[in-house]
């Protein structure tokens, strides 16, 4: 019932020619994949070229952030309608690197989500605890606050469009993956909190896992009931490894 979503977060990697070359290669490798939604989120500079390259294929393009104001004197920022204009259908919101290095809070996450939805984009909202929070046994408290405050005040229709990504901060780019059981436990908790907020919409909400997902651990993660896909950094940068992720390690 929930179509899996495999999303590559390219962070600050790849020039336009490098990005286009990889999507060209990936397109042919995964042309026959129909049961998984495939998304690439490159740097802003490559969005338009990649959206053109991906046209007519089963690859969708998303941005890694946006600003909530529709236009104005906000030097260096990108509005939601500029992201759709570049050919995107998705946008990552509240990635832990944005929270850690650029002052993102649950309040600004909420503003960005609303702006994304208003522009017709699907937000992938990232939540996750730090190592210190996990070791202090406050993981569930931290996640609940991020979900309740970050994804608040949506209409029923809007709440059904959201994708949530559980990304334990200690697992991102570190080579340490949450075990499938650790991830499932938090995914089920997120679905429970989201159902308390928005009722039955939560059953259809895709909850992605992110944090050192690799071709050799993706299959075990994807077997879990509440894991509906991946948000992948490092292993999404090469066509051969991203192909394996899209095919769940096969
Ligand atoms: C990410 O970028 O969201 C991520 C999970 O990175 P990595 O797969 O490299 O840990």
């Amino acid at each position: 019932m929930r179509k899996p979503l495999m999303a590559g977060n390219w962070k600050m990697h790849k020039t336009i020619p490098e990005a286009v070359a990889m999507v060209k290669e990936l397109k042919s490798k995964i042309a026959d994949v129909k049961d998984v939604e495939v998304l690439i989120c490159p740097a802003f500079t490559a969005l338009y070229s990649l959206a053109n390259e991906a046209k007519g294929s089963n690859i969708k393009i998303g941005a890694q952030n946006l600003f909530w104001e529709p236009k104005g004197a906000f030097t260096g920022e990108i509005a939601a309608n500029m992201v759709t204009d570049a050919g995107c259908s998705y946008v990552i919101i509240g990635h832990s690197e944005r929270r850690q290095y650029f002052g993102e809070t649950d309040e600004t996450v909420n503003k960005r989500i609303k702006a994304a939805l208003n522009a017709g984009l699907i937000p992938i909202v990232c939540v996750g605890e730090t190592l210190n929070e996990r070791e202090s046994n406050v993981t569930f408290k931290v996640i609940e606050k991020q979900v309740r405050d970050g994804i608040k005040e949506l209409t029923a229709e809007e709440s059904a469009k959201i994708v949530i990504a559980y990304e334990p901060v200690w697992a991102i780019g570190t080579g340490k993956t949450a075990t499938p059981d650790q991830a499932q436990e938090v995914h089920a908790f997120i679905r429970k909190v989201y159902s308390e907020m928005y009722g039955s919409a939560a059953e259809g909400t895709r909850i992605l896992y992110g944090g050192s997902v690799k071709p050799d651990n993706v299959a075990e993660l994807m077997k879990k009931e509440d894991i509906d896909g991946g948000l992948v950094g490092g292993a999404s940068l090469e066509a051969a490894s991203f192909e394996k992720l899209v095919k769940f390690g096969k």
Side-chain angles (χ1 to χ4, degrees):
M1 166 197 166
R2 296 188 293 264
K3 187 172 184 176
L5 170 62
M6 203 52 72
N9 172 17
W10 282 0
K11 310 191 186 193
M12 201 171 70
H13 292 288
K14 294 192 192 287
T15 61
I16 297 170
E18 287 166 353
V20 169
M22 177 168 149
V23 165
K24 224 182 245 261
E25 196 186 340
L26 185 66
K27 256 193 329 194
S28 63
K29 286 182 183 296
I30 63 161
D32 55 340
V33 173
K34 294 190 176 60
D35 48 357
V36 178
E37 218 178 321
V38 180
L39 174 68
I40 298 280
C41 301
F44 284 124
T45 47
L47 289 176
Y48 184 67
S49 309
L50 279 204
N52 277 333
E53 184 60 43
K55 236 176 228 157
S57 78
N58 52 356
I59 300 174
K60 293 181 176 154
I61 305 299
Q64 297 173 18
N65 188 25
L66 51 70
F67 188 50
W68 54 83
E69 291 292 342
K71 62 178 159 183
F74 302 104
T75 302
E77 294 297 329
I78 309 271
N81 74 325
M82 295 170 176
V83 170
T84 44
D85 190 37
C88 293
S89 44
Y90 281 84
V91 59
I92 299 171
I93 307 266
H95 190 279
S96 67
E97 286 151 17
R98 305 274 344 150
R99 294 180 191 257
Q100 227 175 322
Y101 307 129
F102 302 100
E104 187 84 84
T105 63
D106 294 332
E107 192 187 350
T108 56
V109 162
N110 190 249
K111 288 183 178 180
R112 289 186 219 277
I113 291 172
K114 288 173 180 164
L117 289 165
N118 278 336
L121 293 161
I122 301 176
I124 300 178
V125 185
C126 303
V127 298
E129 81 286 3
T130 62
L131 183 59
N132 187 29
E133 288 163 344
R134 178 157 280 263
E135 288 176 348
S136 311
N137 289 320
V138 291
T139 296
F140 293 102
K141 195 169 150 217
V142 167
I143 301 286
E144 177 159 9
K145 184 178 181 314
Q146 289 174 341
V147 173
R148 286 197 187 272
D149 293 356
I151 320 181
K152 68 185 176 187
E153 295 161 357
L154 304 185
T155 64
E157 200 188 326
E158 288 171 340
S159 70
K161 291 183 182 153
I162 300 280
V163 174
I164 301 173
Y166 169 54
E167 299 209 304
V169 179
W170 48 272
I172 298 178
T174 59
K176 288 186 200 161
T177 324
T179 64
D181 286 341
Q182 272 176 327
Q184 166 60 28
E185 187 184 27
V186 179
H187 281 231
F189 176 74
I190 291 171
R191 199 177 304 287
K192 179 179 141 292
V193 172
Y194 205 61
S195 78
E196 287 166 11
M197 296 167 71
Y198 295 114
S200 58
E203 264 316 297
T205 300
R206 287 176 297 178
I207 306 177
L208 314 183
Y209 170 76
S212 299
V213 177
K214 305 275 183 253
D216 62 2
N217 60 26
V218 67
E220 291 307 307
L221 288 159
M222 289 303 293
K223 277 184 198 154
K224 293 292 178 187
E225 192 185 335
D226 289 290
I227 300 183
D228 307 309
L231 179 56
V232 186
S236 72
L237 290 168
E238 299 289 337
S241 81
F242 197 53
E243 175 195 8
K244 287 191 184 132
L245 297 182
V246 168
K247 297 178 180 172
F248 303 163
K250 278 175 241 155

